[in-house]
DNA sequence: GTAGGGTTAG
C-alpha cells in the first residue's frame, strides 16, 4: 500500500484523475452501496478512473463515505492510509495548499469528521511529525460544520507524547481544558497514559479529577497508567498512596502494578523498599514474573549490590522463570566486578548452555576479572575463545587486555596489542595510553613512559588526569620529583583536572625527599580547592609527618578533617603501624595512649603490632602487660558490661 | 491497550 501511495503521490499528474465530483456523488450518495467489484471496474474504465494502487479499491470507493469508520470496518478491509498520507504530504510539502485540503477530502470521498481527524492523527505517517500534525489539527478545527471532539485532542496528545514534545502538549492541554468536554473512560485512560509517559503530573491529576467529577470508575489499566505516570515523574510517595488505595479497594494491584511500584523504588534508589514490595507479593497471591526479577536485579546491580543480584538470579532458576540474556549479563558482570571470576565463568557457561549467545561485553567483563585476579593466562584463553566464537573484540576488550598485560608485567605483549590497535585505527584513547604509561612506570621504564606520553600528544590524543597521574607517579617514584611537579603545573595550564590522586602521589614523593613544607603546602592547596581527601591521601601525609617526628601535627590535621565529614577509618592504625615499623615505638605508644584518652578503642590487630614492637625493642615486660590488659569494654559471659579498662602504656616506661 | 533490559576498560 505504501508503495502505491508513493506512486500516486509522485506521479499523479501523469494519471488521469477521476471526474470530479464522481457521478455517484452527484447522486447525493444515494446510489446503491451494493455495487459489486465488476461494476466498479467497468465504471472505472469507462470514466477513465485510473487507480494507481496495487490493490484495487473496493466497490465502496465509488460511494461517498460518511466517515472513516465506514472504510475501516468495510468488509474488504480497505486501507485508507495512502489517501491519508497524501493529504499529509500536501500539508507537509506546501503549507499554502491548506485550502485545498477540503477538496482532497472530497476527492477521497471522506467526510471531515472528528473520527477521521482522530484516525489521521493515529496514522503512522504522522509519527515524528508534530508540526504537520498540528497544522492538520488546526486546519480541521477551522472548517465549517466541523468541531473537534475530545478524541481528537486525545489522539493529538498521544502523537505529541511520542515526539516527547512537552511544550506543545502543554499548549494543547490549555486549549483542551477550555473546551470543557465531558470526560469518558477511554479518553481518560489514554490521557493518563500519555501524561504518565512524560511525567506531566499536573495534567495527570487534572484528568484524574475529571474522572471523579464525571463518576468514571477507574479500571485496573487506569490505575496502572496512573501509578506508572507518578513513578516516571518520581512522585514515589503519591504512587505509594494510589497503591494503598488499590489495596483497600475493589480493584487490587496486579503484577503490573507491583512491577511498576518496584521500578519506582529502584529508580529512587530505595532498593530495600523494592525488595519489601517483592516479598509482599507472595502474601497477596501475585506471582513475580521475569519483569519483576529483571527490575529488581537491575536495581540491585546499579546499587552495587551484586550478591542480591545473584540470589535473585538463583531464585529465578529455581522457579523455572525464563532468564533473559540481560539478566545473565548483570549476574556475570556483578560477579566479575566482585572479583569472583570463577563463579562468573560458571554462570557464563550456564548461559550458553541455555541457548543465550555470549556477547563482546560478557567476554570482556570475564577477561577483565580474570586479569585483575592475576590469572592473565585464563584471560588470554578467553580472549582467544572469544575470537574463535566469531566475536570481534572492541575497543573496551583491547583496553582490558592491554591493562591486564601491563599489570601482570607483560609489557612487550601489551605494547604489541597497543600497536595492533594503532594499526587498526581503533581505540586510540587515553585509557590505553594510561595503562601503558602506568605499566612502564611501575616497571621502572620511566623514559619509555615519558615517550608514550609525548607520543599521545603528537597523535592528537590529549592526556587526561589518569595519564598525567601515571607519569607523575612514575617520575616521583624514581626520585624525579621536580619533573613530576613540572607536570603537575602543566596539568593546570592545559586545563586538566588535578585529582586527589595527583596530590597524594606528590605529597608522598615530597615527604620521601624530606621536603615537608612543600608537601604540607600541597595538602593545603588540595583542601582549598575543595578536593576531598581520601584515606590514602591522609596516609601519605600522616606517614610523612610521623616519620619526621610530627605526630601531633598529623593528629591536628586529622581533627580538622572531621568537621568536613572526612574520617579516615584507619588513620591511627596507619600511623601506629608506620611508627612501629620505623622502630619509633615510644612515639607509637604515646599515640596509642592519646587515642585511649580520647575514649576510643585500639583494635586488636594494632595491639598485636604494638606488642611485637615492644618485644623487639627490649620492652618485653611492657609487652606482656599490654598482652594481658583489657582495652575497651569487657563483657561477662551473660553479656552485660563488666568493666571498662583503660591501659596506658607510657606511664610505665 | 499497562511493567524490565544506561550491561565491558585506565
Amino acid at each position: 500500500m505504501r508503495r502505491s501511495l508513493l506512486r500516486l503521490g509522485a506521479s499523479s499528474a501523469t494519471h488521469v484523475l477521476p471526474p470530479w465530483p464522481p457521478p455517484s456523488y452527484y447522486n447525493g450518495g444515494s446510489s446503491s452501496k451494493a455495487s459489486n467489484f465488476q461494476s466498479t471496474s467497468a465504471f472505472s474504465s469507462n470514466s477513465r478512473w485510473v487507480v494507481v494502487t496495487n490493490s484495487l479499491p473496493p466497490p465502496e470507493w465509488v460511494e461517498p463515505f460518511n466517515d472513516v469508520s465506514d472504510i475501516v470496518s468495510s468488509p474488504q478491509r480497505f486501507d485508507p492510509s495512502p489517501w491519508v498520507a497524501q493529504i499529509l504530504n500536501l500539508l507537509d510539502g506546501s503549507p499554502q495548499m491548506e485550502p485545498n485540503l477540503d477538496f482532497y477530502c472530497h476527492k477521497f470521498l471522506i467526510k471531515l469528521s472528528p473520527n477521521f481527524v482522530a484516525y489521521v492523527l493515529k496514522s503512522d505517517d504522522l509519527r515524528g511529525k508534530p508540526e504537520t500534525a498540528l497544522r492538520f489539527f488546526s486546519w480541521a478545527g477551522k472548517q465549517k460544520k466541523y468541531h473537534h471532539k475530545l478524541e481528537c485532542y486525545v489522539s493529538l496528545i498521544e502523537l505529541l507524547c511520542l515526539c516527547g514534545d512537552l511544550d506543545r502538549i502543554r499548549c494543547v492541554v490549555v486549549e483542551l481544558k477550555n473546551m470543557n468536554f465531558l470526560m469518558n473512560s477511554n479518553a481518560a485512560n489514554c490521557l493518563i497514559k500519555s501524561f504518565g509517559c512524560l511525567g506531566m503530573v499536573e495534567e495527570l491529576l487534572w484528568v484524574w479529577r475529571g474522572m471523579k467529577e464525571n463518576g468514571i470508575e477507574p479500571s485496573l489499566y487506569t490505575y496502572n497508567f496512573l501509578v506508572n505516570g507518578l513513578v516516571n515523574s518520581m512522585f514515589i510517595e503519591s504512587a505509594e498512596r494510589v497503591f494503598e488505595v488499590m489495596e483497600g479497594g475493589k480493584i487490587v494491584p496486579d503484577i503490573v502494578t507491583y512491577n511498576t511500584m518496584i521500578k519506582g523504588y529502584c529508580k529512587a534508589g530505595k532498593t530495600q523498599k523494592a525488595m519489601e514490595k517483592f516479598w509482599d507479593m507472595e502474601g497477596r497471591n501475585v506471582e513475580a514474573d521475569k519483569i519483576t526479577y529483571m527490575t529488581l536485579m537491575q536495581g540491585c546491580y546499579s546499587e552495587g549490590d551484586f550478591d542480591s543480584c545473584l540470589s535473585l538470579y538463583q531464585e529465578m532458576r529455581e522457579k523455572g522463570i525464563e532468564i533473559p540474556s540481560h539478566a545473565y549479563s548483570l549476574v556475570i558482570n556483578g560477579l566479575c566486578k566482585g572479583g569472583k571470576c570463577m563463579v562468573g565463568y560458571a554462570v557464563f557457561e550456564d548461559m550458553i548452555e541455555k541457548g543465550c549467545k555470549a556477547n563482546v561485553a560478557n567476554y570482556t567483563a570475564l577477561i577483565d576479572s580474570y586479569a585483575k585476579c592475576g590469572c592473565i593466562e585464563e584471560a588470554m584463553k578467553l580472549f582467544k575463545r572469544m575470537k574463535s566464537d566469531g566475536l570481534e573484540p572492541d575497543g573496551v576488550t583491547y583496553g582490558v587486555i592491554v591493562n591486564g598485560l601491563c599489570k601482570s608485567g607483560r609489557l612487550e605483549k601489551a605494547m604489541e596489542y597497543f600497536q595492533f590497535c594503532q594499526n587498526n585505527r581503533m581505540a586510540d584513547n587515553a585509557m590505553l595510553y594510561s595503562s601503558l604509561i602506568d605499566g612502564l612506570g611501575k616497571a621502572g621504564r620511566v623514559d619509555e613512559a615519558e615517550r608514550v606520553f609525548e607520543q599521545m600528544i603528537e597523535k592528537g590524543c590529549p592526556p587526561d588526569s589518569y595519564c598525567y597521574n601515571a607519569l607523575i607517579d612514575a617520575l616521583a617514584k624514581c626520585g624525579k620529583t621536580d619533573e613530576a611537579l613540572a607536570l603537575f603545573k602543566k596539568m593546570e595550564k592545559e586545563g586538566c583536572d588535578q585529582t586527589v590522586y595527583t596530590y597524594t602521589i606528590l605529597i608522598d614523593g615530597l615527604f620521601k625527599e624530606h621536603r615537608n613544607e612543600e608537601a604540607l603546602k600541597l595538602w593545603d592547596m588540595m583542601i582549598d580547592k575543595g578536593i576531598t581527601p581520601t584515606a590514602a591521601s591522609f596516609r601519605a601525609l600522616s606517614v610523612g609527618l610521623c616519620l619526621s617526628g610530627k605526630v601531633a601535627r598529623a593528629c591536628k590535621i586529622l581533627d580538622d578533617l572531621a568537621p568536613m565529614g572526612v574520617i579516615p577509618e584507619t588513620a591511627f592504625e596507619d600511623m601506629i603501624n608506620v611508627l612501629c615499623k620505623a622502630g619509633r615505638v615510644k612515639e607509637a605508644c604515646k599515640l596509642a595512649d592519646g587515642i585511649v584518652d580520647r575514649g576510643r578503642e585500639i583494635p586488636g590487630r594494632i595491639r598485636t603490632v604494638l606488642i611485637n614492637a615492644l618485644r623487639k625493642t627490649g620492652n618485653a615486660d611492657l609487652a606482656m602487660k599490654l598482652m594481658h590488659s583489657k582495652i575497651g569494654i569487657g563483657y561477662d559471659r551473660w553479656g552485660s558490661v563488666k568493666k571498662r579498662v583503660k591501659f596506658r602504656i607510657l606511664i610505665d616506661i
Side-chain angles (χ1 to χ4, degrees), chain A residues 461-651:
Chain A
C461 178
D464 65 2
S465 60
Y466 284 86
C467 298
Y468 272 103
N469 290 346
L471 189 57
I472 290 176
D473 188 55
L475 291 164
K477 291 280 188 306
C478 73
K480 294 182 172 175
T481 318
D482 287 318
E483 276 180 56
L485 282 168
L487 265 181
F488 174 75
K489 289 207 181 83
K490 191 178 170 193
M491 252 177 126
E492 187 156 39
K493 203 179 120 212
E494 302 286 329
C496 180
D497 276 341
Q498 294 152 330
T499 66
V500 66
Y501 299 102
T502 325
Y503 284 96
T504 308
I505 295 161
L506 287 168
I507 289 169
D508 185 69
L510 286 167
F511 270 121
K512 289 219 167 81
E513 293 196 345
H514 308 291
R515 293 159 71 171
N516 297 9
E517 286 314 311
E518 282 172 85
L520 281 161
K521 230 164 110 182
L522 272 181
W523 173 270
D524 289 339
M525 195 197 277
M526 178 176 85
I527 303 289
D528 288 345
K529 282 200 175 174
I531 297 170
T532 311
T534 56
S537 66
F538 181 74
R539 196 177 304 126
L541 181 85
S542 62
V543 164
L545 284 172
C546 285
L547 292 181
S548 52
K550 291 172 178 161
V551 182
R553 181 129 188 216
C555 290
K556 167 82 174 58
I557 292 172
L558 187 62
D559 282 341
D560 292 342
L561 288 179
M564 290 165 56
V566 181
I567 299 156
E569 289 289 331
T570 58
F572 287 123
E573 202 174 319
D574 293 337
M575 285 156 76
I576 292 175
N577 249 324
V578 78
L579 286 169
C580 287
K581 258 194 203 155
R584 305 161 88 135
V585 187
K586 197 170 164 185
E587 282 161 273
C589 291
K590 198 174 154 196
L591 181 56
D593 283 349
I595 296 163
V596 173
D597 280 344
R598 285 159 178 244
R600 286 182 59 169
E601 289 172 39
I602 307 271
R605 53 184 182 277
I606 288 300
R607 275 177 47 167
T608 313
V609 169
L610 281 168
I611 290 163
N612 285 334
L614 284 166
R615 274 179 40 213
K616 269 191 197 161
T617 49
N619 291 300
D621 292 352
L622 220 47
M624 281 299 278
K625 200 168 171 196
L626 183 56
M627 209 158 74
H628 294 297
S629 71
K630 290 187 175 67
I631 292 181
I633 303 165
Y635 295 92
D636 63 19
R637 61 193 164 105
W638 294 281
S640 58
V641 178
K642 206 171 159 190
K643 54 183 168 182
R644 191 185 181 108
V645 189
K646 277 186 187 172
F647 177 77
R648 301 176 84 249
I649 308 160
L650 284 187
I651 291 171

Side-chain angles (χ1 to χ4, degrees), chain A residues 268-287:
Chain A
K270 296 178 174 174
T271 322
Q272 189 53 38
K273 283 238 176 183
M275 290 303 271
E276 281 163 22
K277 208 75 288 126
F278 167 65
W279 295 323
D280 273 359
M281 292 172 80
E282 211 167 51
R284 302 265 176 176
N285 281 326
V286 181
E287 192 102 24

Side-chain angles (χ1 to χ4, degrees), chain A residues 241-445:
Chain A
R241 247 171 286 141
V242 174
F243 195 93
E244 281 159 19
V245 168
M246 286 178 83
E247 277 178 319
K250 274 186 291 189
I251 298 167
V252 291
D254 72 340
I255 178 73
V256 177
T257 331
Y258 271 99
N259 287 348
T260 312
M261 209 57 225
I262 288 170
K263 171 182 84 169
Y265 285 131
C266 287
K267 265 178 76 161
K270 296 178 174 174
T271 322
Q272 189 53 38
K273 283 238 176 183
M275 290 303 271
E276 281 163 22
K277 208 75 288 126
F278 167 65
W279 295 323
D280 273 359
M281 292 172 80
E282 211 167 51
R284 302 265 176 176
N285 281 326
V286 181
E287 192 102 24
D289 64 0
K290 68 172 174 182
I291 296 181
T292 323
Y293 280 97
M294 276 302 300
T295 313
L296 278 167
M297 284 174 76
Q298 186 68 47
C300 292
Y301 183 83
S302 43
E303 291 267 291
D305 183 359
F306 305 136
D307 288 339
S308 301
C309 217
L310 181 64
S311 26
L312 284 162
Y313 157 77
Q314 277 157 347
E315 221 175 291
M316 273 180 107
R317 271 170 62 114
E318 280 159 25
K319 286 192 180 175
I321 295 171
E322 181 210 325
I323 299 170
S325 62
H326 192 70
Y328 281 113
S329 290
L330 291 175
V331 174
I332 294 169
N333 292 343
L335 287 163
C336 284
K337 282 189 179 170
K340 296 172 184 164
C341 44
M342 306 276 260
V343 192
Y345 182 73
V347 177
F348 173 82
E349 288 288 23
D350 222 57
M351 174 180 86
I352 294 167
E353 201 183 299
K354 290 270 155 42
C356 278
K357 196 167 172 354
N359 61 27
V360 177
N362 296 145
Y363 271 108
T364 308
L366 280 166
I367 292 170
D368 185 47
S369 189
Y370 271 109
K372 287 206 172 99
C373 292
C375 309
I376 190 72
E377 295 303 331
E378 289 298 317
M380 295 314 284
K381 263 188 219 159
L382 272 166
F383 182 57
K384 216 171 154 188
R385 177 170 156 195
M386 170 184 181
K387 288 190 280 190
S388 66
D389 214 4
L391 290 167
E392 195 58 47
D394 64 5
V396 184
T397 319
Y398 281 106
V400 161
I401 292 285
V402 169
N403 185 49
L405 289 168
C406 281
K407 289 278 187 301
S408 66
R410 294 172 61 176
L411 281 159
E412 306 315 319
K413 201 85 196 148
M415 296 221 266
E416 261 174 47
Y417 280 108
F418 174 74
Q419 203 51 53
F420 177 84
C421 289
Q422 299 248 303
N423 296 344
N424 290 277
R425 289 170 165 249
M426 69 186 301
D428 192 29
N429 59 32
M431 276 197 191
L432 272 183
Y433 283 105
S434 73
S435 296
L436 217 52
I437 295 167
D438 191 61
L440 288 165
K442 294 269 190 310
R445 295 159 67 169

Side-chain angles (χ1 to χ4, degrees), chain A residues 104-136:
Chain A
Y104 272 90
C105 264
H106 282 294
K107 179 186 147 192
F108 301 136
L109 306 173
I110 289 163
K111 187 180 148 196
L112 186 65
S113 67
N115 260 355
F116 177 62
V117 170
Y119 179 83
V120 171
L121 289 168
K122 279 194 205 322
S123 77
D124 281 346
D125 303 287
L126 270 181
R127 284 274 165 91
K129 291 184 180 171
E131 302 273 358
T132 316
L134 279 163
R135 212 161 342 121
F136 174 70

